């Protein structure tokens, strides 16, 4: 809304006072007879005066018959003295009600007349401004809310994006087109009009899109898919038109639509038809993308982690016809990402980012950034000037397992059960051939868990064999097996282990085809069911008899895993007790200390055998 200049405000105030002055000047007042002051003295002698009001040298007389007179006198002496000098009876002068008022009465009269006028004019001025503001807001309602990032402000390039090498290679073509469009157009080549970046959350879709704009040195319009949608039909479509119009004016440029699945979901998937606001917005996006004039040099980049729900018309050639997959980083990419985020953090010499990368399989770029931030917070909390290995290890455990809950104090009996439970996990995990090495055992409560047995793979895995799944199942049930063998009792502490084991066993049967009885077949498939919008559900494509067999196979797999865990613990009961006692004493056993404990036990066993 345009602000008024000080000059116009002064003119407005002057006009108000002028109108008030004219109103006061022409205000109807009763006519008064002007008489000399001697005549006033004569009226007092005749006992005709009711009251006198003096204002400066002006004298207003009110007679007993109600008529008014006006006179003037010399202010050098009081009015009473003047009247007595003119022959008025002093007693009668004293009996008359004489009032004296200052010269400000005129200004008070003007103010009394000005204030109502000022309030009325101010009220209408305020209402007029409100109407103008509402009109401006209505005009702005259909405007795009996209944020414009100029190319030279906080410029981000591919150097700032670690990992995702294949994705950067794909997007280099977009950069080349924005820099040198004629090179492609002269050969009749058409660059993709839309690039869809999809992958798990935190893999750097937004950062990569900004890097493309930074590399090409062009304006970058960023907006979320949800910002198009309003309760009024047509507003989203209007914002789409406005966004593309701005981008064309700033061409060559990039439009980045984050979380495009908010408006790009399949049409006809829920309640509402073509009049639905979201579908109107999607239709407008489709038209704008398909209606680019030749040579506009506007590229649309969109990000989502749900490409499966997007409308087919959005993915066809001519729209989002280039798709770039951003996967979770492997160990090499994790090291590069950690180095990028560690640039502004003073790391101690003993810190090793490669070790941290090995401890964080499955971490996204955002997770790694958060990990280093947590480490810096730990260092600051402990008044350290550098981020140490201890801070990094603590940050990894907090992000993965949750914060320590030292305030959760267990009774001696519960602590003993927890120690044997975690020792059971560790023992089974160490002795079975297809499990990952034990990294750490702890009976300090973290998150919702009373204790933790943490194993880490030696390398990133993309496939898991049946043998590995079976051994991991046995390790998951090792805690329950240890409780049963050592205390001849089971507790509720194995709830999460049982839940994890049941889910894993069911996946082996229904998703991985690892049941000999049921064969290599997938049972059921997840799909989005149409009910008050799209809803994730599972479609049952098998009979009740097959469902019974599935339950039998799941139970059989879990029983076999439980038997394997029982066999291992029964055979190595002494080592179980040794691990549990060390946990009760120290509460935490690191991976190296755990390995040393086994080597010592093996050496003692060999010495005993040699002595025998």
């Amino acid at each position: 809304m345009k602000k008024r200049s000080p000059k116009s405000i002064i003119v407005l105030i002057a006009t108000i006072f002028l109108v008030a002055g004219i109103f006061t000047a022409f205000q109807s007042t009763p006519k008064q007879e002007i008489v000399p002051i001697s005549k006033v003295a004569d009226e007092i002698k005749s006992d005709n005066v009711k009251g006198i009001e003096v204002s400066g040298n002006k004298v207003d007389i009110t007679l007993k018959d109600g008529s008014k007179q006006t006179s003037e006198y010399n202010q050098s002496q009081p009015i009473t003295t003047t009247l007595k000098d003119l022959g008025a009876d002093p007693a009668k002068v004293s009996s008359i009600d004489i009032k004296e008022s200052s010269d400000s009465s005129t200004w008070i009269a003007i103010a009394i007349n000005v204030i109502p006028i000022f309030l009325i004019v101010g009220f209408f001025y305020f209402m007029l401004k409100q109407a103008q503001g509402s009109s401006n807001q209505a005009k702005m309602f259909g405007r795009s809310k996209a944020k414009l990032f100029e190319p030279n402000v906080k410029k981000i390039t591919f150097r700032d994006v670690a990992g995702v090498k294949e994705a950067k290679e794909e997007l280099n073509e977009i950069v080349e087109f924005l820099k040198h469009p004629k090179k492609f157009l002269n050969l009749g080549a058409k660059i993709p009009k839309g690039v869809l970046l999809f992958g798990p959350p935190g893999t750097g879709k937004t950062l990569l899109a900004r890097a493309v704009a930074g590399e090409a040195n062009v304006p970058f319009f960023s907006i979320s898919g949800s910002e198009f949608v309003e309760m009024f039909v047509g507003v989203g479509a209007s914002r789409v038109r406005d966004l593309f119009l701005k981008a064309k004016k700033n061409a060559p440029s990039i439009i980045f639509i984050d979380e495009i699945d908010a408006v790009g979901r399949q049409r006809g998937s829920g309640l509402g038809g073509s009049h639905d606001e979201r579908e109107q917005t999607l239709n407008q996006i489709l038209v704008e993308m398909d209606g680019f004039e030749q040579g506009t040099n506007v590229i649309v980049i969109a990000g989502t982690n749900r490409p499966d729900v997007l409308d087919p018309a959005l993915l066809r050639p001519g729209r989002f016809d280039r798709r770039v997959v951003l996967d979770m980083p492997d160990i090499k990419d994790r090291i590069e990402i950690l180095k990028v985020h560690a640039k502004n953090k003073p790391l101690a010499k003993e810190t090793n980012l490669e070790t941290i990368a090995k401890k964080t399989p499955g971490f996204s770029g955002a997770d790694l950034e958060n990990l280093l931030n947590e480490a810096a917070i730990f260092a600051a909390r402990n008044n350290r000037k550098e981020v140490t290995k201890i801070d990094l290890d603590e940050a990894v455990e907090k992000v993965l397992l949750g914060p320590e809950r030292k305030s959760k104090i267990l009774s001696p009996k519960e602590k003993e059960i927890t120690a044997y439970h975690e020792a059971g996990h560790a023992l089974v995990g160490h002795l079975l051939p297809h499990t990952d090495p034990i990294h750490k055992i702890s009976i300090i409560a973290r998150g919702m868990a009373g204790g933790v047995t943490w194993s880490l793979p030696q390398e990133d895995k993309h496939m898991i064999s049946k043998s590995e799944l079976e051994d991991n199942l046995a390790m998951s049930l090792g805690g329950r097996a240890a409780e049963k063998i050592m205390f001849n009792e089971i507790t509720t502490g194995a709830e999460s282990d049982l839940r994890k084991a049941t889910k894993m066993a069911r996946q082996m049967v229904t998703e991985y085809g690892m049941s000999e009885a049921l064969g290599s077949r997938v049972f059921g498939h997840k799909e989005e069911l149409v009910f008050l919008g799209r809803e994730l559900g599972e479609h049952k494509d098998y009979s009740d008899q097959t469902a019974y067999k599935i339950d039998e196979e799941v139970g059989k797999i879990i029983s076999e895993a439980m038997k394997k865990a029982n066999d291992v613990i029964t055979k190595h009961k002494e080592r179980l007790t040794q691990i549990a006692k060390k946990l009760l004493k120290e509460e935490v056993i690191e991976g190296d200390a755990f390995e040393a404990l086994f080597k010592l036990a093996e050496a003692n066993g060999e010495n005993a055998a040699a002595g025998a």
Side-chain angles (χ1 to χ4, degrees), residues 196-199 260-261 264-267 269 304-312 314-315 323 526-529 534-537:
L196 183 66
L197 307 176
F198 63 88
I260 193 173
D261 51 278
R265 285 173 170 257
Q266 293 181 21
R267 290 168 290 183
S269 59
T304 180
N305 52 17
R306 293 295 309 277
D308 54 307
V309 302
L310 296 180
D311 193 272
L314 202 60
L315 302 175
R323 304 171 197 179
K526 290 181 174 61
E527 64 176 12
E528 290 195 332
L529 304 175
R534 285 193 170 266
E535 183 179 84
L536 192 65

Side-chain angles (χ1 to χ4, degrees), residues 345-469:
K345 296 177 177 64
L347 299 180
K349 291 182 180 179
E350 73 271 11
T351 56
N352 188 345
L353 294 180
E354 186 175 348
T355 303
I356 300 301
K358 288 179 179 179
K359 291 182 179 180
T360 52
F363 270 44
S364 66
D367 293 330
L368 295 171
E369 181 184 11
N370 180 50
L371 186 149
L372 286 175
N373 184 61
E374 288 289 343
I377 291 172
F378 279 125
R381 191 185 299 168
N382 291 292
N383 299 318
R384 285 192 277 268
K385 294 183 179 180
E386 292 180 325
V387 179
T388 64
K389 180 179 180 298
I390 297 172
D391 300 319
L392 289 168
D393 290 340
E394 183 65 25
V396 171
E397 292 179 21
K398 181 179 178 181
V399 173
L400 274 175
L401 309 173
E404 283 189 2
R405 294 195 297 158
K406 294 182 179 180
S407 59
K408 184 179 179 180
I409 301 174
L410 300 176
S411 66
K413 183 65 176 177
E414 287 178 329
K415 193 172 183 180
E416 184 182 12
I417 293 172
T418 303
Y420 276 97
H421 182 102
E422 298 305 328
H425 286 307
L427 182 65
V428 175
H430 178 78
L431 294 175
L432 292 179
H434 303 292
T435 53
D436 297 322
I438 302 299
H439 175 67
K440 189 174 187 177
I441 317 166
S442 171
I443 56 172
I444 298 174
R446 278 189 176 273
M448 298 300 294
V452 174
T453 300
W454 184 10
S455 58
L456 284 176
Q458 292 179 320
E459 58 184 6
D460 290 343
K461 295 181 180 179
H462 303 287
M463 293 185 295
I464 305 176
S465 66
K466 182 181 178 182
S467 299
E468 288 175 321
L469 288 172

Side-chain angles (χ1 to χ4, degrees), residues 569-586:
I569 290 173
T570 303
K571 186 177 180 180
H572 301 90
K573 196 172 181 180
E574 291 182 4
R575 290 194 187 181
L576 177 74
T577 303
Q578 189 180 9
I579 298 167
K581 285 182 178 180
K582 189 174 180 65
L583 273 174
L584 287 169
K585 182 181 178 181
E586 300 179 5

Side-chain angles (χ1 to χ4, degrees), residues 227-240:
E227 291 184 64
F228 289 117
V229 182
E230 290 285 351
M231 63 180 291
F232 301 108
V233 176
V235 174
S238 175
R239 289 178 178 174
V240 171

